[in-house]
Amino acid sequence: LVTYLAFLIVIVFWGSFEQAGGLMNLYASQKTDLSLGSFMVPASWFQSVNAIFILIFATAIGSFWIWWKKSGYEHSSLFKMAIGVIIMGFGFFFMSMAANEVVYNESGEITKKSAMYWLVLAYLFHTIGELCASPVALSFITKLAPARWGAFMMGAYFAATGLGNKVAGLIGENASEVGDYETFVGITIFCTIFGLLVILILKPLKRLVHNAE
C-alpha cells in the first residue's frame, strides 16, 4: 500500500512539475514580457532557471533536512515527498498571479503581458519542491521492495515518472480550453490538498513501512 502511494506521489509530482517544459515554456514565450530595457530575454533561457536554482540551493536544502532530523522533527521520506509536492504546487500560485496580470482586448489579442519575476518565483518553488521530493523517492521505493525485486521497482519508479510526464502533457493540452489561470489554480489546490492528506495519514503509513528506512 505504501509503495503504491509512493508511486502515486511520484506521478502527481512529475505530472505538475513537467509543465515547465510545455505549458510554462509556451507561457514564457507568448504571454510574458521578456524585455529588460532594450534587451529581449529569450524564452528558452527560463529552461535553465531550474538547473541554476538546483546548484544554488541543493546543499542548503540537504543541510536543512539534517538540522531538521537532529532537532527531532518528522523527517521520514513520505513526509519529505509530501512537503515537496506542496511546495512545488505552491509555485503554480505565482503562475496564477502571472495569468491574472495578462490583459486581452475585445478581439482576444494580448495587450498586456505578465512580468518575468512570476516565472522566476514559480521555478524557485518548483526547484525547492524537487529537492525535497525527488532525491528520496527512488531510495524510499527501493528500500520498501524485497531485495530480489529491487531492480524491478527501480524500473517501475521510472515508469511512474513517465506516466507523470504523460499526465503533464494532458494537462497542458487541455489548458487552452480550460484557461491558464484556472489550470494554474487547479494544480496549486490539488497538490496542496494531496500533500496535506499524505501528511495527515503519515502515522499509520509509517507503521506499514516496518522501519524500512
Side-chain angles (χ1 to χ4, degrees):
L1 177 62
V2 178
T3 305
Y4 291 139
L5 176 61
F7 281 134
L8 182 58
I9 293 173
V10 169
I11 293 170
V12 170
F13 181 87
W14 293 110
S16 304
F17 181 88
E18 289 300 337
Q19 297 304 318
L23 180 58
M24 289 176 64
N25 197 32
L26 290 173
Y27 189 92
S29 175
Q30 299 171 1
K31 301 177 183 179
T32 302
D33 183 2
L34 300 174
S35 60
L36 278 177
S38 59
F39 177 72
M40 292 298 294
V41 178
S44 59
W45 284 15
F46 285 95
Q47 294 298 295
S48 301
V49 173
N50 171 249
I52 293 170
F53 280 149
I54 286 176
L55 292 173
I56 294 172
F57 292 106
T59 302
I61 298 298
S63 300
F64 169 80
W65 285 119
I66 293 172
W67 170 82
W68 188 262
K69 179 180 179 179
K70 289 180 177 179
S71 299
Y73 297 114
E74 174 62 54
H75 61 276
S76 65
S77 295
L78 281 173
F79 177 77
K80 293 175 184 177
M81 292 164 68
I83 290 295
V85 170
I86 293 172
I87 294 174
M88 183 275 302
F90 190 73
F92 285 97
F93 166 76
F94 297 107
M95 291 305 301
S96 69
M97 296 295 289
N100 202 38
E101 229 177 47
V102 179
V103 177
Y104 299 86
N105 60 21
E106 294 180 356
S107 58
E109 297 174 341
I110 297 174
T111 58
K112 180 187 176 184
K113 297 182 177 181
S114 61
M116 282 187 289
Y117 57 76
W118 295 120
L119 272 170
V120 175
L121 286 170
Y123 279 116
L124 172 61
F125 276 77
H126 289 182
T127 301
I128 294 174
E130 181 186 11
L131 289 170
C132 291
S134 183
V136 301
L138 177 58
S139 173
F140 178 66
I141 290 171
T142 52
K143 285 175 183 176
L144 290 177
R148 62 195 179 102
W149 289 98
F152 174 82
M153 295 304 289
M154 290 178 68
Y157 167 83
F158 287 106
T161 63
L163 185 55
N165 278 265
K166 176 63 175 178
V167 172
L170 293 174
I171 294 173
E173 182 181 352
N174 292 324
S176 58
E177 298 179 6
V178 177
D180 291 332
Y181 178 80
E182 290 78 7
T183 300
F184 295 140
V185 169
I187 295 174
T188 302
I189 294 173
F190 180 82
C191 288
T192 302
I193 293 175
F194 181 82
L196 289 175
L197 286 175
V198 173
I199 292 173
L200 286 174
I201 60 173
L202 200 58
K203 286 187 177 180
L205 289 174
K206 287 174 67 177
R207 287 197 292 268
L208 295 174
V209 173
H210 302 298
N211 297 319
E213 296 191 83

